[in-house]
């Protein structure tokens, strides 16, 4: 039983990182019906800004977190303005291809600065507590705690503010929203800002928990987060969080109770099975498309 | 407009083609290194080792080819640590740069496709660091490749030595293994270790895997912790090791780690810090040795590249180049096949990483290894291991 709880804790930590990134995918999809494949690389830039803050500027934890979140927020807004807005009325596929291009650009730009993997110095004191046989490290507590805090903040913004109302309105029907006097461009920029900021925070959490980073970390983690969003029902905020924890749980528990080689096999088989029975994800709503 | 563009492109290619000097003025040697990609430290060391070896030979006047001293000209290509790019680099060096022989690539995933091309084109390829037995074996016939050589020992040898070492020297009875199932090299090391360790009377209590790119090993280590091993065998690349050891320590695992030659980079100790203290690894050479050839190499390398101690890749690349240059001198002609024959018959070569010699029908040298321990933030010599 202790073994199970230990693994469950590992799963919650992994799920928290996936959740923060999955939110970025799902929010952008919610307002634009577009998949921003560069989002995984925004996350990677967040991790590298963490390196800049921690290893080069020797900042403590909170300023590093703020630096990464601000930096990636600006990157997200700039990308939307430069690369995605001109394509707003182009076919969806063009925007998706552009986002892939932005991602490859970011990877190679970072690679061009320095090809060596970076090591992140410890930002928090490292302790391991043992509670009833289960080992808990300060990093796990920080990752889980900060993720919950940020997700709660996002929940408030989306559900309790006017901007959040506007976001939800755009998600429901983008054609009608401008007629109500809502500045669509600003709201979309805000959505990108929020999603990217969370991605930046995820980068810091990730870099603390797994302190060797390279320009390609965004690819695999980004895919996993994207899958989380799809499992939960892409476009749905609560769905993304739910999907992330399910994915974290399945990945860890597969490795825990089956040979670890089957991890991705089981994970992706479950995803396929789920999509057959619920093509819109767990919390996604059915949508009738007029042709 | 369009035809103008085409003309411009054609003109560009004519200019490129016109660049070539006569290709017999110098001894043209290609180098394929992992300069960017997953293991850039390996690429940098290989490049340094090769440049240093070539520099020393050129400073001494060059290689004597039929009575005329000719300088070495290096053609360095980046494989980006990708198999397809390594193959393309080999193709380019052989066909366009018309090199006499190639040093590199280093990682086996890169060396294998490049070796196939070199074998087909009858050009000597000397890999400094690829320990995969398959690199020098023809996949179709199962016989040794004619034109592919290496300067290092093989994984089969490595796994065997490590299994015996864990049981006999470290007195471990229960060992857990974690390895990258997507890497041929690491898989062979893990399998050979298991076989040899069990033959020596030990027990493998956990055999866990992960896939390239994984960063979270908490599930595997929680499982390993439950199996209570005396020692954990971890054949992983140096960029993964710090993550893995750190996660194990945070989960409260106290058992020491045993690594393979994939650990050997100064970066590992820098990144891993106190978590890796006391761990063991097998390597191609030890900077702590008293061998005068090795000591001279280390001193020269430090002087040339600003103080850092050369790692095993640098030493092996230097040796690979040294053996190759010796073979070219013995062949006395710029003929690819003659160089191959000279190489296979080379008398015992006193290299930085030990004495290198080839048996008549194999590109695998007969040579020993060393076991190192990580102590006070550096590698220190622990024991010698002979085949």
């Amino acid at each position: 039983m202790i073994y199970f709880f230990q693994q469950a804790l590992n799963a919650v930590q992994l799920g928290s990182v996936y959740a923060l990134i999955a939110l970025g995918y799902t929010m952008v999809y919610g307002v634009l019906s577009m998949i921003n494949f560069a989002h995984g690389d925004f996350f990677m830039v967040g991790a590298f800004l963490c390196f800049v803050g921690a290893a080069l500027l020797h900042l403590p934890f909170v300023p590093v977190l703020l630096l990464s979140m601000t930096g990636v927020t600006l990157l997200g807004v700039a990308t939307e303005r430069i690369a995605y807005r001109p394509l707003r009325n182009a076919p969806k596929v063009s925007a998706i291809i552009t986002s892939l291009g932005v991602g490859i650009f970011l990877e190679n730009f970072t690679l061009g600065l320095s090809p060596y993997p970076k090591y992140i110095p410890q930002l928090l004191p490292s302790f391991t507590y043992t509670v009833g046989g289960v080992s808990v490290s300060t990093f796990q507590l920080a990752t889980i705690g900060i993720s919950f805090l940020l997700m709660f903040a996002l929940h408030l913004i989306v559900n309790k503010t006017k901007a959040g109302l506007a976001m939800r309105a755009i998600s429901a029907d983008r054609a009608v929203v401008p007629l109500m006097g809502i500045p669509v461009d600003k709201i979309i920029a805000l959505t990108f800002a929020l999603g990217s900021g969370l991605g930046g925070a995820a980068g810091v959490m990730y870099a603390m928990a797994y302190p060797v980073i390279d320009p390609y970390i965004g690819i695999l983690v980004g895919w996993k987060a994207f899958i989380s969003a799809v499992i939960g029902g892409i476009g749905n905020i609560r769905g993304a969080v739910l999907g992330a924890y399910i994915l974290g749980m399945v990945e860890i528990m597969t490795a825990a109770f089956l040979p670890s080689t089957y991890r991705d096999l089981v994970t992706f088989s479950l995803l396929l099975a789920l999509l057959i029975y619920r093509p819109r994800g767990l919390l996604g709503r059915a949508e009738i498309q007029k042709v | 407009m369009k035809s103008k563009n085409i003309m411009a492109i054609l003109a560009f290619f004519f200019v490129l083609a016109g660049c070539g000097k006569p290709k017999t003025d110098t001894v043209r040697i290609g180098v394929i290194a992992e300069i960017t990609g997953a293991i850039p430290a390996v690429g940098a060391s290989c490049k340094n080792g090769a440049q240093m070896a070539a520099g020393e030979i050129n400073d001494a006047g060059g290689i004597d080819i039929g009575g005329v001293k000719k300088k070495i000209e290096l053609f360095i290509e980046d494989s980006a640590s990708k198999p397809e790019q390594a193959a393309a680099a080999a193709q380019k060096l052989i066909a366009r740069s018309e090199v006499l022989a190639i040093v590199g690539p280093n990682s086996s995933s890169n060396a294998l496709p490049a070796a196939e091309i070199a074998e087909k084109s009858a050009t000597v390829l000397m890999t400094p660091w690829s320990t995969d037995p398959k690199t020098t074996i023809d996949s179709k016939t199962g016989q040794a490749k004619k034109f592919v050589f290496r300067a290092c020992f093989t994984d089969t040898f490595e796994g065997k030595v490590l299994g015996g070492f864990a049981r006999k020297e470290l007195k471990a009875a229960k060992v857990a293994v974690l390895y990258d199932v997507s890497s041929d090299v690491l898989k062979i090391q893990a399998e050979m270790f298991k076989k040899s360790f069990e033959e020596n009377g030990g027990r493998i209590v956990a055999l866990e895997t992960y896939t390239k790119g994984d960063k979270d090993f908490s599930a595997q280590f929680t499982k390993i912790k439950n199996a209570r091993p005396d020692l954990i065998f971890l054949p992983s690349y140096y960029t993964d090791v710090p993550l893995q050891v750190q996660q194990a320590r945070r989960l409260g695992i106290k058992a020491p780690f045993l690594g393979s030659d994939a650990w050997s980079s100064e970066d590992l100790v820098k990144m891993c810090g106190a978590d890796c203290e006391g761990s063991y690894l097998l390597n191609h050479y030890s900077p702590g040795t008293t061998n005068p050839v090795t000591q001279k190499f280390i001193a020269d390398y430090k002087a040339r590249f600003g103080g850092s101690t050369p790692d095993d890749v640098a030493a092996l690349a230097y040796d690979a180049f040294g053996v190759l240059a010796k073979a070219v001198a013995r062949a006395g002609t710029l003929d690819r096949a003659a160089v191959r024959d000279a190489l296979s018959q080379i008398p015992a070569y006193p290299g930085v990483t030990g004495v290198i010699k080839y048996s008549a029908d194999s590109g695998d040298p007969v040579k020993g290894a060393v076991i190192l321990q990580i102590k006070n933030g550096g590698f220190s010599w622990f024991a010698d291991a002979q085949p």
Side-chain angles (χ1 to χ4, degrees):
Chain A
M1 211 52 204
I2 290 169
Y3 178 67
F4 177 79
F5 281 120
Q6 180 77 64
Q7 295 287 20
L9 185 71
N10 297 339
V12 173
Q13 183 194 5
L14 190 63
S16 297
V17 175
Y18 287 162
L20 285 181
I21 309 169
L23 285 169
Y25 280 106
T26 221
M27 287 172 72
V28 167
Y29 189 87
V31 298
L32 284 181
S33 308
M34 169 207 153
I35 297 158
N36 174 22
F37 279 117
H39 189 66
D41 298 293
F42 288 0
F43 151 83
M44 176 275 292
V45 172
F48 270 82
L49 285 174
C50 174
F51 167 76
V52 170
L56 304 182
L57 305 175
H58 304 290
L59 298 173
F61 174 63
V62 175
V64 167
L65 183 63
L66 292 178
L67 171 82
S68 279
M69 288 181 71
T70 321
V72 180
T73 301
L74 293 177
L75 175 68
V77 173
T79 308
E80 192 272 328
R81 182 69 195 85
I82 298 165
Y84 301 155
R85 196 178 295 178
L87 293 171
R88 183 111 10 111
N89 296 318
K92 290 266 143 56
V93 150
S94 315
I96 289 174
I97 299 297
T98 307
S99 76
L100 283 172
V102 171
I104 293 169
F105 169 79
L106 288 175
E107 280 157 26
N108 285 285
F109 183 78
T110 317
L111 190 71
L113 293 179
S114 158
Y116 295 93
K118 296 283 173 286
Y119 182 73
I120 314 274
Q122 288 192 357
L123 283 167
L124 294 174
S126 168
F127 294 115
T128 304
Y129 309 100
T130 311
V131 187
V134 177
S135 304
V136 189
S137 70
T138 38
F139 295 89
Q140 284 179 318
L141 290 177
T143 306
I144 298 169
I146 291 171
S147 308
F148 275 43
L149 215 68
L150 288 171
M151 286 188 269
F152 185 65
L154 179 73
H155 171 77
L156 291 183
I157 293 173
V158 172
N159 290 307
K160 306 281 174 194
T161 63
K162 264 198 166 159
L165 185 65
M167 248 179 237
R168 282 179 289 142
I170 294 177
S171 170
D173 193 338
R174 202 169 89 212
V176 178
V177 166
L179 303 176
M180 310 293 167
I182 295 171
V184 174
D185 281 348
K186 270 192 194 148
I187 297 296
I188 288 176
L190 177 70
T191 310
F192 265 90
L194 287 174
S196 314
L198 292 177
V204 176
M205 305 286 123
Y206 185 88
M208 278 192 336
Y210 314 114
V212 178
I213 57 168
D214 61 65
Y216 299 118
I217 53 168
I219 300 174
L220 198 67
V221 182
W223 277 115
K224 295 276 171 75
F226 173 62
I227 292 166
S228 304
V230 172
I231 292 176
I234 194 154
N236 184 305
I237 287 181
R238 274 177 304 164
V241 175
L242 178 69
Y245 284 110
I246 290 177
L247 187 67
M249 201 57 100
V250 171
E251 281 201 342
I252 295 281
M253 290 303 167
T254 308
F257 293 102
L258 297 172
S260 27
T261 319
Y262 295 156
R263 177 148 97 174
D264 286 350
L265 178 72
V266 172
T267 311
F268 288 95
S269 306
L270 273 179
L271 174 74
L272 284 176
L274 181 88
L275 288 180
I276 290 171
Y277 291 104
R278 289 199 62 95
R280 306 284 309 170
L282 287 173
L283 300 185
R285 46 173 193 234
E287 201 171 88
I288 298 156
Q289 211 151 30
K290 294 186 195 102
V291 187
Chain B
M1 197 58 208
K2 232 178 199 153
S3 63
K4 219 175 188 180
N5 283 344
I6 292 166
M7 288 302 283
I9 291 167
L10 281 179
F12 176 70
F13 279 116
F14 279 124
V15 170
L16 271 188
C19 279
K21 290 176 292 185
K23 295 188 172 165
T24 50
D25 284 4
T26 54
V27 180
R28 302 161 76 92
I29 308 278
V31 175
I32 306 175
E34 296 77 354
I35 294 166
T36 61
I39 45 170
V42 167
S45 287
C46 172
K47 198 172 131 196
N48 285 352
Q51 278 175 335
M52 179 169 156
E56 284 177 358
I57 294 165
N58 285 347
D59 289 347
I63 302 179
D64 191 345
I65 305 289
V68 187
K69 287 264 188 188
K70 288 190 177 168
K71 300 240 170 164
I72 292 176
E73 192 179 350
L74 284 186
F75 293 81
I76 298 175
E77 292 288 333
D78 179 16
S79 75
S81 195
K82 291 179 188 153
E84 66 278 12
Q85 203 164 324
Q91 202 103 51
K92 182 177 164 195
L93 286 172
I94 293 167
R96 271 198 72 84
S97 311
E98 294 181 33
V99 296
L100 181 64
I102 295 172
V103 172
N106 296 291
S107 79
S108 292
S109 59
N110 284 249
L112 264 168
E116 290 293 331
I117 286 168
E119 179 74 7
K120 250 182 245 156
S121 325
T123 306
V124 168
L125 181 132
M126 167 73 102
T127 168
W129 197 55
S130 164
T131 49
D132 189 335
K134 290 202 289 291
T135 308
T136 53
I137 302 287
D138 194 312
S139 53
K140 283 196 200 92
T141 60
Q143 301 289 309
K145 285 191 184 108
K146 263 193 83 174
F147 285 87
V148 180
F149 294 80
R150 71 175 109 217
C152 54
F153 48 69
T154 63
D155 294 317
T156 320
F157 166 76
E158 184 166 352
K160 207 170 136 198
V161 166
L162 282 169
F165 172 76
R167 184 75 194 106
K168 287 184 219 142
E169 302 294 321
L170 299 177
K171 310 274 180 234
K174 297 189 292 178
V175 169
V177 180
L178 175 69
Y179 67 98
D180 180 351
V181 75
S182 63
S183 156
D184 280 354
V185 177
L186 304 179
K187 207 169 139 191
I188 294 170
Q189 288 179 359
E191 280 163 2
M192 286 310 295
F193 174 88
K194 179 170 182 280
K195 193 165 163 241
S196 150
F197 185 66
E198 285 174 344
E199 276 170 7
N200 280 296
R203 199 156 62 86
I204 301 287
V205 288
L207 189 66
E208 295 299 314
T209 62
Y210 64 97
T211 316
K212 189 178 171 187
D214 281 359
K215 303 281 175 184
D216 186 279
F217 311 96
S218 56
Q220 289 95 324
F221 277 123
T222 303
K223 229 168 160 179
I224 287 174
K225 190 186 172 191
N226 255 26
R228 299 179 190 286
D230 307 325
L231 177 80
I232 301 169
F233 180 51
L234 184 70
S236 291
Y237 283 114
Y238 71 92
T239 43
D240 290 333
V241 174
L243 284 178
Q244 292 163 336
V245 175
Q246 201 170 56
Q247 285 178 33
R249 297 289 183 240
R250 281 182 192 165
L251 282 168
I253 294 176
K254 306 229 161 42
F257 283 86
L258 174 65
S260 68
D261 70 308
W263 278 40
S264 62
S265 166
E266 288 280 301
D267 283 2
L268 175 105
V269 195
K270 266 187 252 158
M271 292 193 284
C272 201
D275 290 328
C276 280
E277 275 292 308
S279 298
Y280 303 92
L281 63 141
L282 178 138
N283 205 355
H284 300 274
Y285 98 123
S286 160
T289 175
T290 49
N291 182 344
V293 181
T294 314
Q295 282 310 322
K296 184 180 176 304
F297 164 74
I298 293 171
D300 292 351
Y301 188 93
K302 280 183 174 170
R304 196 180 270 259
F305 298 109
S308 69
T309 310
D311 57 16
D312 60 331
V313 180
L316 287 168
Y318 182 83
D319 274 356
F321 215 96
V323 179
L324 187 63
K326 192 74 171 273
V328 173
R330 282 174 65 90
T333 154
L334 295 182
D335 176 60
R336 287 169 173 171
V339 172
R340 187 259 155 209
D341 292 341
L343 193 53
S344 71
Q345 291 155 15
I346 208 145
Y349 174 85
V352 169
T353 60
V355 176
I356 296 173
K357 197 180 174 335
Y358 297 96
S359 52
D361 50 358
S362 167
D364 300 337
V366 184
K367 63 189 288 199
V370 291
I371 306 272
L372 307 177
Q373 188 176 23
I374 298 178
K375 255 194 204 161
N376 307 321
F379 296 128
S380 69
W381 180 87
F382 188 81
D384 273 330
Q386 292 308 323

